Amino acid sequence: MRILISADMEGATGVTWTDDVVPGSPQWDRFRRLFTGDVNAVLAGLFEAGAGDVLVNEAHSSQRNLLLEDLDPRARMLTGRHKPLSMMQGVDSGVDGVVFLGYHAGAGFDGVLSHTYLENQITGVWLDDVPASEGRLNAAMAAEYGVPVLLVSGDDETCEDARDYAPEAELVQVKECVSRYAAICLPPARTADLLTGAAADAMARAGREERQVRAHRIEVEFDASHLAQATAVIPTVEQIGTRRVGFDAVNMTEAMKAFKVVTAIAAGAVQGIYG
């Protein structure tokens, strides 16, 4: 069995605010070790339950946060930015399951460091008229390749979100959201046990499924009108409201490529503290 781990950082053990996840700060240096610990805990469970090969896709921000020197030597790690499938790079390589590790709630919802791709310019994303977190978007991508979501970890809001888009997945709550920047956290010794046990249990569901390839529509709402105007110049993207754009795509892979362009253009249109 071959497994993919899509590893984000906001939902990792102990993470609660900006400095914990922004490269370069002392707090980030501390929490990248806890992040790596979460990944190793999941790897232990996957290998214990029969995984033969696990690829860890670094999926947070710079995508250079995990400590390769501390990673379980049985795993392989994909690190660095500008991957064609972004957070889901590797899902098209014949894997039998995917783990969403360290995930978080979507833009516009309660949750520790909740957002969807852009940290604060996007106020909502909809996939086929359903509010969409990164987890929901990535689950639709996985379904397109016939890859089941085996496990999702993060705060309680992340787990509640995953119950809808991945109802059969194992869920691991490593913290309880108090606000966007505060949480009741379990220590890493406890979260490691939870992650390892859930990963081992999740392997029972590993195995390719029928591919679900179909057209999709994504809509994105921003916090300012000029971001909608800036992204509406992209071919296929239409401004459908003062702060909202939408586009259609023939499949989820193409939808996510277009979504990446939308977020890149929006990020480039932000002007200092006024956004």
Side-chain angles (χ1 to χ4, degrees):
M1 287 287 180
R2 302 178 62 214
I3 307 298
L4 173 69
I5 298 177
S6 174
D8 206 355
M9 194 173 182
E10 287 90 354
T13 294
V15 167
T16 57
W17 76 309
T18 306
D19 281 8
D20 297 344
V21 296
V22 174
S25 74
Q27 282 294 99
W28 168 76
D29 198 47
R30 172 193 174 199
F31 280 100
R32 64 193 302 220
R33 298 181 184 280
L34 272 68
F35 182 29
T36 305
D38 281 6
V39 171
N40 280 337
V42 168
L43 287 168
L46 295 176
F47 285 120
E48 174 190 312
D53 176 67
V54 183
L55 175 65
V56 180
N57 178 15
E58 260 255 42
H60 172 68
S61 187
S62 65
Q63 299 172 20
R64 299 181 185 276
N65 306 278
L66 290 172
L67 297 169
L68 180 62
E69 60 270 31
D70 292 341
L71 195 69
D72 187 317
R74 295 171 292 181
R76 298 178 297 132
M77 186 171 80
L78 170 58
T79 184
R81 297 183 62 193
H82 309 304
K83 307 159 187 166
L85 300 182
S86 191
M87 298 179 76
M88 293 298 285
Q89 188 68 35
V91 75
D92 58 345
S93 64
V95 294
D96 300 291
V98 60
V99 171
F100 293 169
L101 183 145
Y103 271 43
H104 50 82
F109 288 89
D110 289 333
V112 175
L113 294 173
S114 58
H115 69 283
T116 305
Y117 270 68
L118 299 185
E119 292 82 359
N120 58 17
Q121 284 81 37
I122 291 177
T123 59
V125 176
W126 292 261
L127 174 64
D128 302 324
D129 296 322
V130 178
S133 61
E134 292 170 12
R136 183 178 293 277
L137 295 171
N138 291 341
M141 174 84 80
E144 185 159 287
Y145 290 93
V147 178
V149 179
L150 303 180
L151 183 155
V152 181
S153 74
D155 68 3
D156 54 321
E157 299 290 348
T158 305
C159 292
E160 186 62 30
D161 181 37
R163 285 189 179 93
D164 188 54
Y165 69 74
E168 297 183 6
E170 297 290 325
L171 304 176
V172 179
Q173 178 184 321
V174 302
K175 54 198 168 191
E176 179 184 344
C177 174
V178 173
S179 74
R180 195 166 187 237
Y181 302 114
I184 300 169
C185 299
L186 297 178
R190 289 181 62 184
T191 61
D193 286 345
L194 293 173
L195 289 164
T196 298
D201 291 343
M203 280 297 293
R205 288 194 56 247
R208 303 299 298 280
E209 301 177 339
E210 183 177 353
R211 296 181 63 170
Q212 300 177 33
V213 182
R214 62 185 181 87
H216 291 280
R217 178 171 178 80
I218 292 181
E219 296 186 5
V220 184
E221 186 176 81
F222 299 100
D223 65 357
S225 60
H226 74 285
L227 301 181
Q229 294 162 5
T231 55
V233 305
I234 303 167
T236 77
V237 177
E238 176 188 10
Q239 185 168 355
I240 57 175
T242 304
R243 295 180 290 109
R244 190 159 171 159
V245 298
F247 58 90
D248 299 292
V250 295
N251 56 46
M252 196 59 197
T253 300
E254 295 303 311
M256 285 305 293
K257 288 179 179 178
F259 181 63
K260 283 179 61 180
V261 176
V262 168
T263 57
I265 295 293
V270 172
Q271 299 292 318
I273 63 172
Y274 283 90

